[in-house]
Amino acid sequence: MYRYDEFDARLVSERVEQFARQIERRLKGELSEDEFKPLRLMNGLYLQLHAYMLRVAIPYGTLSSSQLHMLAHVARRYDKGYGHFTTRQNIQYHWPRLIDVPEILRDLASVQMHSLQTSGNCIRNVTADQFAGAAADEIEDPRILAEIVRQWSSLHPEFSFLPRKFKIAVSGTPEDRAAVRFHDIGIEIIRSDHGETGYRVFVGGGMGRTPYLGLCIADFVAREDILAYLEAILRVYNMEGRRDNIFKARIKILVNALGLDNMRARVWREFEEIKKEGSLNLPEQERARIAAYFAPPEFEPLPDTCLEFETACSGDGDFAAWSRHNLSPHRAPGYAIVTVSLKPVGGVPGDCSADQMDGLVQLMDEFGIAEIRVTHEQNLVLPHVRKKDLPALHDQLERLGLASPNSGLASDIICCPGLDYCDLANARSIPIAQDLSRRFSDLDRQEEIGELKIKMSGCINACGHHHAGHIGILGVDKKGVEFYQLQLGGSGAEDATIAEIIGPAFSKDEIVDAVERVITAYLRLRQPGERFLDCYRRLGLEPFKNVAYLEQLHAAY
Amino acid sequence: MPLIRNGSWAHDDYTALTDQEPLADGGVLVSLNRFQAEQELLLARNQPLGVRLSSSQSPENIGSGLHHLSLVALEFPAFRDGRAFSWARLLRSRLGFAGEIRAIGHFLIDQLAFMERCGINAFDGDARITPEALAAARAEFSNVYQPAVDGRPSIGRLRAQSS
Ligand code: SF4
């Protein structure tokens, strides 16, 4: 993985000291809270319902074991012993004290981590496919570009006060695990007909109040031009994006108002000029320097079948179940990609205790696993595991409470912190996710249902990606009472769609039953092998809508 | 009121005029509207002339008259409004403007280094905006990742040189 050189390291430490001085000025009253707010946000520090919240970046979701160990240390020393992994490859600490923040940031900087631009109206932490470097169908490791973009976007002199936040995601495979079309800019690495690697660029995707899928603004941008092209998009957005209404300030609104062709022409004009200046051309030498850090580890030459593993799989024990759902094909024979679920039955999606983190560190050392990944689905991934190690690794995960065999199933729910923490929330999301996960805890039942992505947000900001859920749930507030809107048919994958709202919201006592009725209807209506999403796409809203409301009166007595 | 130009206190040699005020002797700073309405008259005076842009006005609106100006003042209505960063860059790059670019309105010392990188070389802000604050802001970061219009070599360039 990437390692800072002296330049990167110095910049991050200088940023920590700058922020320490900003906090000092705030404490001395030289900065008003209004002035301090955007400064602290640009460093990932929120003021929430009960306390400050610090959001730490995990660029493109990759962590070394020593970094994970540091996250555990921060959780233990400055927080209540746990952290919360978010849908944007960040970790949030919900209870730090303001005066401790510089010390936390210094600790993080010592392992090359930071909270730069995890919030605020700037270019946010760049995200990428969690299977980077391991996926079988990868064209190029997306983290190379993501790191290049991380550097270019850090403390950008022109784009640190944008109309609104700006999110960029990169995917290196045709299969999209990074939800690129739901980002302000989504980049798909592609290979041209001539075998040249380059980038397809989508612009204007996003969730929130007005969800849009990103539109393809450039079919193929050459490697050396990508920063110039991104700078051009950002400049058009900075100059022309709306600033009069916070709900209309994202680039998706601008793209929609201008029309894609117009937007493309404006970006092109800026791009040509930036390219002519030449200073943003990405030299192959620098790209190669960064790429070298992401060279895959040396894989042992192993046969693809491994007797110990196959035997363990064929049993009917916990390992077999786990292996059915939490393993993905690796590009190297004899290896597998392991998804470590952070969705235990009745748990808080994405939460991980300091002891669990340290347990994972130990396990990584023991099995020679150098990196761990954080996914936008709020799980962790061990990217390179020898199949023969899997049974022993599973035992240890079980001991840590991290072996839920539910990746991609009904109880693998994405859920934002909601009203339990977040001051923007309209409703609690965690308790609903917990109820759902208990309702569907039976593994046989989950297996019968098959792939199902339930995603839930506590307000219209959509941190829980409800628009992209096969089943999406949105918390709303009706005269001070929490209600839940049900949406169906979304997808954040390569077949991206926006979920449709089925009708009036449900009360908190009704929503879980409504979801269950929709799923039961699906089981009745599906064709053999048909996923929930495909069944919904075939049949449309009506049959699901009818059952969702059918027994509402009974459910509420 | 004193302002900072090229890093030190300087005398403001322009009188800022509203659209109604009669022209004063010496340098004047007028709005884009007034400049467009009275361009001939203003240029014929042969005195230092500046145009003030609100944050929603692109400097491209100034047109060919730009090369007769010695000052463009960019307004920051609130420090959150970052459009002027792009206006300054356009002035220095596409439009090739070599005169004074002055930030006016509401901005924070935490923005000064970014402003300079984008080509702003004069600051007319609140009491906290001093040459000392500017010098401190400049010193906060030893290096930068991005090329901008200030000619500072980016970290990428430095890496290429040292290898
Ligand atoms: S979706 Fe809303 S409630 Fe949930 S974390 Fe985001 S802002 Fe907070």
Side-chain angles (χ1 to χ4, degrees):
Chain A
M1 58 187 283
Y2 188 68
R3 267 183 232 294
Y4 287 1
D5 66 3
E6 55 188 305
F7 295 112
D8 303 307
R10 195 183 306 136
L11 189 119
V12 167
S13 329
E14 287 174 345
R15 177 69 180 111
V16 173
E17 297 320 314
Q18 180 190 44
F19 190 54
R21 286 191 295 275
Q22 288 168 342
I23 291 180
E24 222 176 271
R25 278 158 61 210
R26 172 69 194 116
L27 293 172
K28 280 200 228 147
E30 290 168 24
L31 279 172
S32 68
E33 177 53 29
D34 192 42
E35 292 170 328
F36 180 53
K37 188 175 168 188
L39 301 178
R40 65 170 161 73
L41 286 180
M42 245 183 287
N43 217 5
L45 189 64
Y46 282 74
L47 189 53
Q48 295 205 311
L49 286 177
H50 314 289
Y52 279 102
M53 178 271 275
L54 180 68
R55 186 183 288 158
V56 176
I58 301 169
Y60 34 86
T62 298
L63 286 171
S64 67
S65 60
S66 57
Q67 290 176 327
L68 183 60
H69 178 56
M70 182 56 80
L71 295 182
H73 163 79
V74 170
R76 224 175 256 129
R77 169 109 188 251
Y78 303 102
D79 206 290
K80 296 188 174 178
Y82 66 97
H84 173 78
F85 290 101
T86 75
T87 52
R88 290 214 76 256
Q89 298 180 322
N90 296 307
I91 183 170
Q92 293 183 176
Y93 294 105
H94 285 124
W95 306 97
R97 295 185 309 164
L98 182 58
I99 51 163
D100 287 337
V101 170
E103 214 39 55
I104 298 175
L105 294 175
R106 284 183 199 117
D107 285 353
L108 291 169
S110 73
V111 293
Q112 312 200 335
M113 293 189 76
H114 60 70
S115 61
L116 261 73
Q117 294 173 208
T118 51
S119 180
N121 294 338
C122 49
I123 303 169
R124 299 288 188 86
N125 182 36
V126 182
T127 55
D129 179 6
Q130 65 269 15
F131 289 176
D137 58 343
E138 187 171 276
I139 295 169
E140 181 178 276
D141 192 319
R143 294 172 301 168
I144 302 166
L145 179 61
E147 172 60 24
I148 290 167
V149 173
R150 183 191 75 81
Q151 297 187 18
W152 161 78
S153 62
S154 292
L155 302 173
H156 197 293
E158 188 179 345
F159 307 135
S160 290
F161 297 88
L162 295 168
R164 199 78 175 83
K165 58 189 167 183
F166 203 93
K167 301 176 180 177
I168 302 178
V170 190
S171 164
T173 56
E175 201 176 314
D176 179 9
R177 282 170 293 264
V180 294
R181 293 193 63 197
F182 278 104
H183 284 75
D184 295 285
I185 290 180
I187 302 175
E188 185 190 347
I189 300 174
I190 53 168
R191 195 164 287 141
S192 75
D193 299 341
H194 320 290
E196 191 192 345
T197 302
Y199 310 110
R200 177 176 292 147
V201 181
F202 295 92
V203 72
M207 308 214 197
R209 180 169 297 229
T210 344
Y212 282 116
L213 292 179
L215 302 172
C216 180
I217 188 166
D219 258 328
F220 189 90
V221 177
R223 273 174 167 171
E224 61 179 44
D225 290 339
I226 187 67
L227 290 183
Y229 197 78
L230 295 180
E231 182 128 321
I233 295 177
L234 266 298
R235 182 165 300 155
V236 171
Y237 173 54
N238 191 43
M239 295 188 300
E240 301 196 43
R242 284 182 62 174
R243 291 175 188 261
D244 58 328
N245 179 342
I246 181 173
F247 298 115
K248 300 205 182 320
R250 296 288 289 270
I251 195 173
K252 59 191 176 186
I253 305 291
L254 177 67
V255 173
N256 229 267
L258 289 175
L260 182 62
D261 289 340
N262 234 327
M263 180 74 188
R264 187 182 285 127
R266 279 169 210 236
V267 169
W268 192 255
R269 178 176 182 226
E270 299 298 330
F271 169 69
E272 284 200 301
E273 199 169 277
I274 297 166
K275 187 168 160 62
K276 208 166 62 210
E277 281 169 22
S279 53
L280 258 183
N281 286 3
L282 180 66
E284 177 50 29
Q285 190 192 4
E286 173 65 356
R287 204 202 66 83
R289 183 188 76 86
I290 290 175
Y293 288 109
F294 295 104
E298 233 172 88
F299 298 119
E300 277 172 47
L302 294 170
D304 200 35
T305 46
C306 161
L307 195 64
E308 276 162 279
F309 169 68
E310 313 289 337
T311 319
C313 285
S314 62
D316 55 1
D318 293 344
F319 178 81
W322 178 79
S323 72
R324 278 198 297 279
H325 303 293
N326 292 38
L327 300 183
S328 307
H330 195 281
R331 64 164 70 143
Y335 280 79
I337 304 173
V338 171
T339 297
V340 177
S341 168
L342 296 180
K343 317 289 174 65
V345 172
V348 178
D351 271 13
C352 191
S353 74
D355 292 344
Q356 286 175 322
M357 292 184 218
D358 273 339
L360 284 165
V361 169
Q362 254 179 28
L363 171 158
M364 289 167 73
D365 292 345
E366 188 180 326
F367 292 99
I369 303 166
E371 294 174 9
I372 187 165
R373 310 283 173 74
V374 178
T375 83
H376 84 269
E377 294 185 326
Q378 298 177 292
N379 291 313
L380 302 174
V381 162
L382 297 167
H384 314 295
V385 185
R386 285 177 296 255
K387 284 184 181 168
K388 64 175 185 213
D389 291 338
L390 286 168
L393 182 125
H394 175 259
D395 280 352
Q396 303 224 19
L397 288 176
E398 247 177 357
R399 228 165 290 142
L400 294 169
L402 291 171
S404 304
N406 58 354
S407 173
L409 299 179
S411 62
D412 185 5
I413 300 167
I414 291 186
C415 173
C416 81
L419 196 54
D420 289 298
Y421 296 96
C422 177
D423 59 333
L424 302 170
N426 284 327
R428 281 169 296 171
S429 46
I430 293 171
I432 304 294
Q434 289 172 316
D435 283 352
L436 276 167
S437 125
R438 282 189 210 105
R439 183 72 62 94
F440 291 100
S441 59
D442 181 61
L443 186 64
D444 291 338
R445 189 172 180 208
Q446 292 193 68
E447 289 191 331
E448 195 199 345
I449 297 166
E451 184 189 303
L452 184 65
K453 310 240 177 210
I454 302 180
K455 307 188 181 190
M456 155 137 209
S457 310
C459 82
I460 197 74
N461 284 323
C463 302
H465 295 189
H466 60 275
H467 298 298
H470 297 179
I471 295 180
I473 302 169
L474 166 65
V476 292
D477 172 292
K478 284 194 188 174
K479 302 201 176 87
V481 183
E482 295 162 287
F483 272 82
Y484 297 89
Q485 216 175 57
L486 189 55
Q487 315 193 347
L488 300 177
S491 166
E494 61 283 358
D495 58 353
T497 43
I498 294 166
E500 297 168 277
I501 301 169
I502 71 162
F506 297 88
S507 75
K508 73 176 193 319
D509 301 321
E510 294 163 348
I511 182 67
V512 175
D513 292 329
V515 169
E516 188 171 24
R517 286 197 295 272
V518 165
I519 292 175
T520 309
Y522 150 70
L523 292 175
R524 206 174 57 235
L525 295 166
R526 72 176 167 189
Q527 293 176 346
E530 195 176 43
R531 295 181 305 165
F532 175 86
L533 180 63
D534 300 318
C535 180
Y536 176 83
R537 284 176 174 168
R538 180 170 57 82
L539 295 172
L541 193 75
E542 258 346 275
F544 298 101
K545 180 175 173 165
N546 292 341
V547 300
Y549 292 101
L550 190 63
E551 293 165 61
Q552 193 174 347
L553 289 175
H554 304 278
Y557 312 75
Chain B
M1 214 179 100
L3 57 92
I4 301 166
R5 185 183 292 135
N6 299 328
S8 12
W9 290 121
H11 174 67
D12 184 0
D13 23 28
Y14 296 81
T15 309
L17 298 178
T18 65
D19 289 357
Q20 286 76 39
E21 278 171 297
L23 290 175
D25 212 30
V28 291
L29 176 60
V30 298
S31 72
L32 177 65
N33 282 350
R34 183 157 184 184
F35 174 72
Q36 285 169 336
E38 302 173 27
Q39 187 160 353
E40 269 177 42
L41 179 78
L42 286 165
L43 293 178
R45 295 171 74 236
N46 257 331
Q47 304 251 35
L49 177 60
V51 165
R52 183 171 58 234
L53 298 176
S54 78
S55 66
S56 61
Q57 293 171 325
S58 164
E60 292 195 271
N61 291 315
I62 298 173
S64 58
L66 179 66
H67 295 291
H68 303 288
L69 304 183
S70 44
L71 165 69
V72 175
L74 300 174
E75 199 179 335
F76 288 77
F79 63 88
R80 286 190 184 81
D81 185 340
R83 278 175 282 197
F85 291 98
S86 286
W87 303 145
R89 272 195 90 157
L90 279 193
L91 277 165
R92 291 291 186 228
S93 53
R94 176 181 303 158
L95 304 173
F97 181 68
E100 174 178 334
I101 302 181
R102 184 187 296 181
I104 57 176
H106 300 280
F107 47 90
L108 299 177
I109 61 175
D110 311 270
Q111 296 176 301
L112 298 179
F114 289 159
M115 291 168 147
E116 278 206 318
R117 300 218 61 218
C118 292
I120 293 171
N121 68 325
F123 303 92
D124 186 358
D126 66 29
R128 294 172 293 188
I129 309 296
T130 61
E132 295 71 37
L134 176 60
R138 279 177 184 165
E140 277 187 317
F141 290 95
S142 313
N143 296 106
V144 292
Y145 279 123
Q146 310 79 5
V149 297
D150 58 351
R152 243 172 122 178
S154 67
I155 287 174
R157 172 97 55 87
L158 295 174
R159 281 177 182 143
Q161 281 166 4
S162 68
S163 67

mmCIF file of all heavy atoms in Angstrom, chain A residues 38-64:
data_model
loop_
_atom_site.group_PDB
_atom_site.id
_atom_site.type_symbol
_atom_site.label_atom_id
_atom_site.label_comp_id
_atom_site.label_asym_id
_atom_site.label_seq_id
_atom_site.Cartn_x
_atom_site.Cartn_y
_atom_site.Cartn_z
ATOM 1 N N PRO A 38 -16.615 25.904 9.477
ATOM 2 C CA PRO A 38 -16.076 25.321 8.236
ATOM 3 C C PRO A 38 -14.629 24.865 8.382
ATOM 4 O O PRO A 38 -14.204 23.922 7.709
ATOM 5 C CB PRO A 38 -16.185 26.458 7.217
ATOM 6 C CG PRO A 38 -16.415 27.690 7.990
ATOM 7 C CD PRO A 38 -17.026 27.302 9.296
ATOM 8 N N LEU A 39 -13.881 25.500 9.277
ATOM 9 C CA LEU A 39 -12.484 25.098 9.469
ATOM 10 C C LEU A 39 -12.408 23.734 10.131
ATOM 11 O O LEU A 39 -11.629 22.865 9.733
ATOM 12 C CB LEU A 39 -11.733 26.140 10.304
ATOM 13 C CG LEU A 39 -11.690 27.558 9.718
ATOM 14 C CD1 LEU A 39 -10.962 28.497 10.673
ATOM 15 C CD2 LEU A 39 -11.010 27.565 8.351
ATOM 16 N N ARG A 40 -13.237 23.537 11.161
ATOM 17 C CA ARG A 40 -13.187 22.240 11.831
ATOM 18 C C ARG A 40 -13.784 21.160 10.940
ATOM 19 O O ARG A 40 -13.323 20.029 10.895
ATOM 20 C CB ARG A 40 -13.865 22.276 13.198
ATOM 21 C CG ARG A 40 -15.344 22.539 13.226
ATOM 22 C CD ARG A 40 -15.920 22.292 14.633
ATOM 23 N NE ARG A 40 -17.200 22.931 14.859
ATOM 24 C CZ ARG A 40 -18.351 22.532 14.342
ATOM 25 N NH1 ARG A 40 -18.391 21.503 13.531
ATOM 26 N NH2 ARG A 40 -19.470 23.168 14.622
ATOM 27 N N LEU A 41 -14.830 21.532 10.166
ATOM 28 C CA LEU A 41 -15.421 20.530 9.283
ATOM 29 C C LEU A 41 -14.403 20.046 8.259
ATOM 30 O O LEU A 41 -14.319 18.856 7.959
ATOM 31 C CB LEU A 41 -16.636 21.098 8.561
ATOM 32 C CG LEU A 41 -17.899 21.253 9.421
ATOM 33 C CD1 LEU A 41 -19.034 21.817 8.589
ATOM 34 C CD2 LEU A 41 -18.318 19.934 10.053
ATOM 35 N N MET A 42 -13.598 20.994 7.753
ATOM 36 C CA MET A 42 -12.621 20.585 6.757
ATOM 37 C C MET A 42 -11.607 19.615 7.344
ATOM 38 O O MET A 42 -10.837 19.002 6.626
ATOM 39 C CB MET A 42 -11.910 21.793 6.193
ATOM 40 C CG MET A 42 -12.227 21.966 4.728
ATOM 41 S SD MET A 42 -11.340 23.301 4.043
ATOM 42 C CE MET A 42 -12.212 24.669 4.749
ATOM 43 N N ASN A 43 -11.621 19.511 8.656
ATOM 44 C CA ASN A 43 -10.759 18.531 9.300
ATOM 45 C C ASN A 43 -11.591 17.436 9.968
ATOM 46 O O ASN A 43 -11.149 16.781 10.913
ATOM 47 C CB ASN A 43 -9.847 19.216 10.305
ATOM 48 C CG ASN A 43 -8.468 18.579 10.310
ATOM 49 O OD1 ASN A 43 -8.169 17.697 9.512
ATOM 50 N ND2 ASN A 43 -7.637 18.991 11.220
ATOM 51 N N GLY A 44 -12.814 17.278 9.499
ATOM 52 C CA GLY A 44 -13.617 16.137 9.939
ATOM 53 C C GLY A 44 -14.196 16.230 11.331
ATOM 54 O O GLY A 44 -14.601 15.228 11.898
ATOM 55 N N LEU A 45 -14.252 17.441 11.900
ATOM 56 C CA LEU A 45 -14.751 17.557 13.265
ATOM 57 C C LEU A 45 -16.148 18.178 13.270
ATOM 58 O O LEU A 45 -16.334 19.329 12.884
ATOM 59 C CB LEU A 45 -13.788 18.404 14.103
ATOM 60 C CG LEU A 45 -14.076 18.434 15.602
ATOM 61 C CD1 LEU A 45 -13.927 17.048 16.216
ATOM 62 C CD2 LEU A 45 -13.135 19.411 16.304
ATOM 63 N N TYR A 46 -17.117 17.394 13.708
ATOM 64 C CA TYR A 46 -18.513 17.826 13.774
ATOM 65 C C TYR A 46 -18.901 18.095 15.223
ATOM 66 O O TYR A 46 -18.336 17.511 16.136
ATOM 67 C CB TYR A 46 -19.437 16.708 13.301
ATOM 68 C CG TYR A 46 -19.545 16.504 11.813
ATOM 69 C CD1 TYR A 46 -18.517 15.920 11.091
ATOM 70 C CD2 TYR A 46 -20.701 16.848 11.144
ATOM 71 C CE1 TYR A 46 -18.651 15.692 9.721
ATOM 72 C CE2 TYR A 46 -20.837 16.636 9.776
ATOM 73 C CZ TYR A 46 -19.814 16.058 9.083
ATOM 74 O OH TYR A 46 -19.946 15.831 7.742
ATOM 75 N N LEU A 47 -19.911 18.928 15.382
ATOM 76 C CA LEU A 47 -20.532 19.056 16.693
ATOM 77 C C LEU A 47 -21.898 18.410 16.575
ATOM 78 O O LEU A 47 -22.739 18.864 15.810
ATOM 79 C CB LEU A 47 -20.659 20.535 17.058
ATOM 80 C CG LEU A 47 -21.097 20.864 18.475
ATOM 81 C CD1 LEU A 47 -20.234 20.160 19.506
ATOM 82 C CD2 LEU A 47 -21.043 22.367 18.713
ATOM 83 N N GLN A 48 -22.105 17.310 17.296
ATOM 84 C CA GLN A 48 -23.347 16.566 17.135
ATOM 85 C C GLN A 48 -24.274 16.741 18.319
ATOM 86 O O GLN A 48 -24.126 17.649 19.114
ATOM 87 C CB GLN A 48 -23.026 15.093 16.903
ATOM 88 C CG GLN A 48 -22.284 14.892 15.583
ATOM 89 C CD GLN A 48 -22.475 13.506 15.034
ATOM 90 O OE1 GLN A 48 -22.315 12.528 15.741
ATOM 91 N NE2 GLN A 48 -22.834 13.410 13.778
ATOM 92 N N LEU A 49 -25.239 15.847 18.436
ATOM 93 C CA LEU A 49 -26.251 15.990 19.476
ATOM 94 C C LEU A 49 -25.652 16.003 20.873
ATOM 95 O O LEU A 49 -26.010 16.801 21.717
ATOM 96 C CB LEU A 49 -27.251 14.837 19.384
ATOM 97 C CG LEU A 49 -28.243 14.919 18.233
ATOM 98 C CD1 LEU A 49 -29.116 13.675 18.222
ATOM 99 C CD2 LEU A 49 -29.095 16.169 18.351
ATOM 100 N N HIS A 50 -24.725 15.077 21.124
ATOM 101 C CA HIS A 50 -24.223 14.932 22.483
ATOM 102 C C HIS A 50 -22.778 15.369 22.636
ATOM 103 O O HIS A 50 -22.315 15.612 23.736
ATOM 104 C CB HIS A 50 -24.331 13.473 22.936
ATOM 105 C CG HIS A 50 -25.650 12.848 22.608
ATOM 106 N ND1 HIS A 50 -26.800 13.213 23.272
ATOM 107 C CD2 HIS A 50 -26.008 11.942 21.681
ATOM 108 C CE1 HIS A 50 -27.822 12.518 22.755
ATOM 109 N NE2 HIS A 50 -27.361 11.751 21.791
ATOM 110 N N ALA A 51 -22.042 15.411 21.557
ATOM 111 C CA ALA A 51 -20.600 15.652 21.679
ATOM 112 C C ALA A 51 -20.021 15.978 20.312
ATOM 113 O O ALA A 51 -20.742 15.990 19.312
ATOM 114 C CB ALA A 51 -19.924 14.388 22.221
ATOM 115 N N TYR A 52 -18.712 16.231 20.296
ATOM 116 C CA TYR A 52 -18.027 16.343 19.014
ATOM 117 C C TYR A 52 -17.921 14.957 18.392
ATOM 118 O O TYR A 52 -17.924 13.939 19.085
ATOM 119 C CB TYR A 52 -16.622 16.921 19.205
ATOM 120 C CG TYR A 52 -16.621 18.421 19.346
ATOM 121 C CD1 TYR A 52 -16.495 19.026 20.592
ATOM 122 C CD2 TYR A 52 -16.765 19.229 18.223
ATOM 123 C CE1 TYR A 52 -16.512 20.405 20.712
ATOM 124 C CE2 TYR A 52 -16.777 20.607 18.330
ATOM 125 C CZ TYR A 52 -16.651 21.199 19.578
ATOM 126 O OH TYR A 52 -16.676 22.548 19.695
ATOM 127 N N MET A 53 -17.826 14.929 17.075
ATOM 128 C CA MET A 53 -17.584 13.674 16.363
ATOM 129 C C MET A 53 -16.403 13.917 15.444
ATOM 130 O O MET A 53 -16.356 14.927 14.750
ATOM 131 C CB MET A 53 -18.821 13.273 15.572
ATOM 132 C CG MET A 53 -18.668 11.996 14.760
ATOM 133 S SD MET A 53 -18.029 12.251 13.112
ATOM 134 C CE MET A 53 -19.539 12.630 12.218
ATOM 135 N N LEU A 54 -15.436 12.999 15.474
ATOM 136 C CA LEU A 54 -14.280 13.126 14.596
ATOM 137 C C LEU A 54 -14.338 12.037 13.536
ATOM 138 O O LEU A 54 -14.440 10.855 13.856
ATOM 139 C CB LEU A 54 -12.976 12.995 15.396
ATOM 140 C CG LEU A 54 -11.698 13.123 14.547
ATOM 141 C CD1 LEU A 54 -11.535 14.548 14.006
ATOM 142 C CD2 LEU A 54 -10.465 12.731 15.359
ATOM 143 N N ARG A 55 -14.273 12.469 12.283
ATOM 144 C CA ARG A 55 -14.331 11.515 11.174
ATOM 145 C C ARG A 55 -12.936 11.405 10.563
ATOM 146 O O ARG A 55 -12.384 12.381 10.077
ATOM 147 C CB ARG A 55 -15.338 12.003 10.148
ATOM 148 C CG ARG A 55 -15.568 11.022 9.030
ATOM 149 C CD ARG A 55 -16.521 11.585 8.004
ATOM 150 N NE ARG A 55 -17.888 11.650 8.459
ATOM 151 C CZ ARG A 55 -18.811 12.466 7.928
ATOM 152 N NH1 ARG A 55 -18.480 13.302 6.971
ATOM 153 N NH2 ARG A 55 -20.038 12.453 8.372
ATOM 154 N N VAL A 56 -12.397 10.222 10.613
ATOM 155 C CA VAL A 56 -11.034 9.992 10.149
ATOM 156 C C VAL A 56 -11.085 9.304 8.783
ATOM 157 O O VAL A 56 -11.865 8.367 8.582
ATOM 158 C CB VAL A 56 -10.268 9.111 11.164
ATOM 159 C CG1 VAL A 56 -8.877 8.785 10.654
ATOM 160 C CG2 VAL A 56 -10.216 9.804 12.524
ATOM 161 N N ALA A 57 -10.256 9.784 7.870
ATOM 162 C CA ALA A 57 -10.263 9.231 6.515
ATOM 163 C C ALA A 57 -9.523 7.905 6.461
ATOM 164 O O ALA A 57 -8.461 7.743 7.081
ATOM 165 C CB ALA A 57 -9.599 10.209 5.548
ATOM 166 N N ILE A 58 -10.093 6.974 5.701
ATOM 167 C CA ILE A 58 -9.359 5.761 5.356
ATOM 168 C C ILE A 58 -9.317 5.779 3.834
ATOM 169 O O ILE A 58 -10.183 5.207 3.178
ATOM 170 C CB ILE A 58 -10.067 4.510 5.899
ATOM 171 C CG1 ILE A 58 -10.197 4.630 7.424
ATOM 172 C CG2 ILE A 58 -9.293 3.242 5.511
ATOM 173 C CD1 ILE A 58 -11.094 3.601 8.056
ATOM 174 N N PRO A 59 -8.329 6.512 3.272
ATOM 175 C CA PRO A 59 -8.353 6.727 1.835
ATOM 176 C C PRO A 59 -8.481 5.397 1.084
ATOM 177 O O PRO A 59 -7.801 4.425 1.419
ATOM 178 C CB PRO A 59 -7.010 7.408 1.543
ATOM 179 C CG PRO A 59 -6.681 8.113 2.821
ATOM 180 C CD PRO A 59 -7.178 7.171 3.899
ATOM 181 N N TYR A 60 -9.392 5.391 0.113
ATOM 182 C CA TYR A 60 -9.738 4.212 -0.689
ATOM 183 C C TYR A 60 -9.848 2.951 0.160
ATOM 184 O O TYR A 60 -9.652 1.838 -0.314
ATOM 185 C CB TYR A 60 -8.771 4.016 -1.874
ATOM 186 C CG TYR A 60 -7.334 4.443 -1.593
ATOM 187 C CD1 TYR A 60 -6.437 3.566 -1.007
ATOM 188 C CD2 TYR A 60 -6.905 5.727 -1.885
ATOM 189 C CE1 TYR A 60 -5.147 3.951 -0.717
ATOM 190 C CE2 TYR A 60 -5.611 6.123 -1.589
ATOM 191 C CZ TYR A 60 -4.735 5.217 -1.008
ATOM 192 O OH TYR A 60 -3.459 5.610 -0.713
ATOM 193 N N GLY A 61 -10.156 3.111 1.422
ATOM 194 C CA GLY A 61 -10.518 1.982 2.275
ATOM 195 C C GLY A 61 -9.410 1.052 2.692
ATOM 196 O O GLY A 61 -9.676 -0.023 3.223
ATOM 197 N N THR A 62 -8.150 1.445 2.497
ATOM 198 C CA THR A 62 -7.055 0.520 2.805
ATOM 199 C C THR A 62 -6.357 0.885 4.113
ATOM 200 O O THR A 62 -6.003 2.038 4.333
ATOM 201 C CB THR A 62 -6.017 0.531 1.659
ATOM 202 O OG1 THR A 62 -6.656 0.089 0.466
ATOM 203 C CG2 THR A 62 -4.851 -0.390 1.965
ATOM 204 N N LEU A 63 -6.175 -0.109 4.960
ATOM 205 C CA LEU A 63 -5.480 0.077 6.241
ATOM 206 C C LEU A 63 -4.403 -0.989 6.410
ATOM 207 O O LEU A 63 -4.627 -2.151 6.079
ATOM 208 C CB LEU A 63 -6.455 -0.133 7.401
ATOM 209 C CG LEU A 63 -7.497 0.911 7.727
ATOM 210 C CD1 LEU A 63 -8.460 0.326 8.759
ATOM 211 C CD2 LEU A 63 -6.833 2.168 8.284
ATOM 212 N N SER A 64 -3.272 -0.599 6.983
ATOM 213 C CA SER A 64 -2.292 -1.604 7.389
ATOM 214 C C SER A 64 -2.655 -2.057 8.797
ATOM 215 O O SER A 64 -3.483 -1.437 9.471
ATOM 216 C CB SER A 64 -0.887 -0.997 7.397
ATOM 217 O OG SER A 64 -0.807 -0.022 8.422
#
